[in-house]
């Protein structure tokens, strides 16, 4: 009889213990816990989509895009009757943006009617694209107009924060971040913005403190994962390089084309050494690939690619032939199908990284490809390109004497 009276007490104790155990799970530094959380959240989001509630479907699909399920989201979007035409356009535009195809992202949104474009969610994407084009004032004005209509629009504040930071308006960005934290202390966005301000303003210690606070609330944010890994790197402690890379691995799990992660891993910020990925037959393979370089220099691009593929068949265990092919695809700057070549190079670099984890040259090449995909969208790209194509050089003879390679 006495046990029955005590039973509710024991149940409560077990419940509180269980809650305490859940709270003790570290998703910030114990990165092995994060991958399970990614899978769990993906499963929950798919259940929301399958439930068929129009009020949840769009938000769930956007979140799945943030978790790296790009192809799956597009497939669901195409067949869904729970999404409006505007929502479908936003998801497609976001997918193009994730793939660094900003022109098609903009084209998708511009195809909407004026009324549809007034949707604040469309305005968010248009402002994001203006930032990519480095039209920062235009983006800021657009976002302020959105916030005038709805000052609780968190997404608009997140994008505005990025815009202010890029304009080096650090005080304004910091003020916005602190306001976001005050209004929504359980949301990670304000902490992430505050961390970004400190990073850009050369205060890595404060930046690290706030990015960790944010990651405790939202451990599945690719940009924040990169930032925390960068903060670890800034500690200048070689014994922590594994911890740094573990953060960037999460960023790449969430966004396989995360530019900053690829750039840093490809530029010596790594826990590996040359001996970790050296090819025992490198000299032999490079000697055979030299023919491809000669053909490329002579303008025989297709034949050069054929050589790399033939060498690849002869050395299937080596990534060097694929690296060479991808590099040639990237280097053919004047090709009429430049965009298609960059996509092929991108896939080759991704394939190499699956075969040879964190192979620095592939990370470096992929970062270069991503940057080349982005650059033409800059608003002053055409005028700058014209100046580079037709430089106003009045003393070519002396220039070539000092810089003979330019010839």
């Amino acid at each position: 009889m006495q046990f029955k009276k005590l039973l509710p007490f024991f149940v409560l104790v077990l419940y509180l213990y269980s809650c305490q155990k859940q709270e003790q799970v570290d998703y910030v530094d114990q990165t092995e816990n994060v991958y399970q959380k990614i899978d769990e959240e993906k499963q929950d989001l798919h259940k929301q989509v399958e439930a068929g509630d129009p009020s949840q479907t769009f938000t769930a699909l956007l979140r799945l895009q943030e978790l790296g399920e790009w192809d799956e989201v597009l497939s669901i979007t195409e067949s869904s009757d729970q999404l409006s035409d505007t929502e479908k356009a936003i998801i497609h535009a976001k997918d193009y943006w994730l793939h660094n195809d900003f022109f098609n992202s903009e084209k998708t949104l511009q195809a909407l009617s004026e009324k549809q474009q007034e949707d604040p969610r469309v305005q968010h994407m248009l402002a994001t694209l203006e930032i990519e084009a480095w039209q920062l004032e235009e983006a800021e004005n657009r976002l302020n107009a959105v916030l005038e209509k709805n000052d609780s629009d968190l997404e608009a504040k997140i994008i505005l924060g990025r815009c202010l930071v890029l304009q080096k308006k650090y005080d304004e960005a910091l003020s916005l971040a602190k306001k976001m934290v005050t209004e929504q202390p359980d949301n990670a966005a304000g902490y992430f913005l505050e961390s970004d301000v400190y990073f850009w303003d050369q205060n890595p210690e404060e930046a690290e403190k706030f990015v960790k606070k944010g990651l405790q609330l939202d451990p599945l944010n690719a940009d924040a994962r990169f930032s925390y890994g960068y903060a670890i790197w800034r500690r200048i402690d070689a014994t922590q390089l594994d911890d740094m890379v573990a953060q960037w691995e999460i960023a790449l799990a969430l966004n396989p084309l995360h530019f900053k992660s690829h750039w840093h891993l490809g530029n010596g910020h790594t826990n590996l050494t040359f001996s970790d990925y050296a090819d025992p037959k490198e000299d032999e393979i490079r000697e055979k690939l030299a023919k491809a370089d000669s053909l490329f220099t002579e303008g025989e691009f297709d034949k050069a690619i054929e050589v790399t593929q033939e060498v690849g068949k002869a050395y299937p265990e080596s990534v060097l032939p694929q690296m060479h092919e991808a590099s040639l695809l990237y280097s053919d700057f004047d090709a009429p199908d430049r965009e298609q070549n960059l996509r092929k190079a991108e896939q080759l670099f991704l394939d190499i990284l699956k075969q040879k984890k964190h192979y620095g040259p592939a990370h470096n090449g992929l970062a270069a490809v991503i940057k080349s995909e982005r650059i033409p969208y800059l608003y002053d790209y055409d005028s700058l390109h014209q100046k580079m194509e037709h430089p106003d050089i009045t003393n070519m003879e002396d220039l070539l004497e000092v810089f003979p390679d330019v010839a």
Side-chain angles (χ1 to χ4, degrees), residues 74-137:
L74 281 188
S75 178
I76 294 169
T77 299
E78 291 298 328
S79 59
S80 175
D81 56 1
Q82 303 297 323
L83 297 167
S84 68
D85 289 341
T86 302
E87 289 171 336
K88 287 186 176 183
I90 293 169
I91 289 172
H92 278 284
K94 181 73 175 290
D95 184 76
Y96 281 125
W97 177 77
L98 286 165
H99 285 91
N100 302 292
D101 188 351
F102 302 148
F103 287 107
N104 273 321
S105 183
E106 179 184 352
K107 185 178 178 181
T108 301
L109 298 175
Q110 296 295 355
L112 295 169
S113 68
E114 288 187 18
K115 181 67 176 176
Q116 289 172 314
Q117 288 183 36
E118 291 175 2
D119 188 313
R121 298 170 300 181
V122 176
Q123 292 295 305
H124 297 160
M125 274 304 305
L126 288 171
T128 298
L129 289 168
E130 284 172 335
I131 291 173
E132 300 295 357
W134 211 251
Q135 294 178 294
L136 301 178
E137 290 184 11

Side-chain angles (χ1 to χ4, degrees), residues 296 301 326-339 341-342 368-369 371-373 375-376 381 385 388-389:
F296 181 80
F301 177 78
S327 298
L328 292 179
L329 286 163
Y330 165 77
S331 300
D332 194 12
F333 297 105
D334 298 322
D337 52 352
R338 171 76 174 154
E339 292 179 15
N341 281 355
L342 288 175
V369 166
K371 180 60 73 175
S372 290
E373 290 169 338
I375 285 174
Y381 171 79
H385 196 264
M388 290 169 67
E389 287 284 313

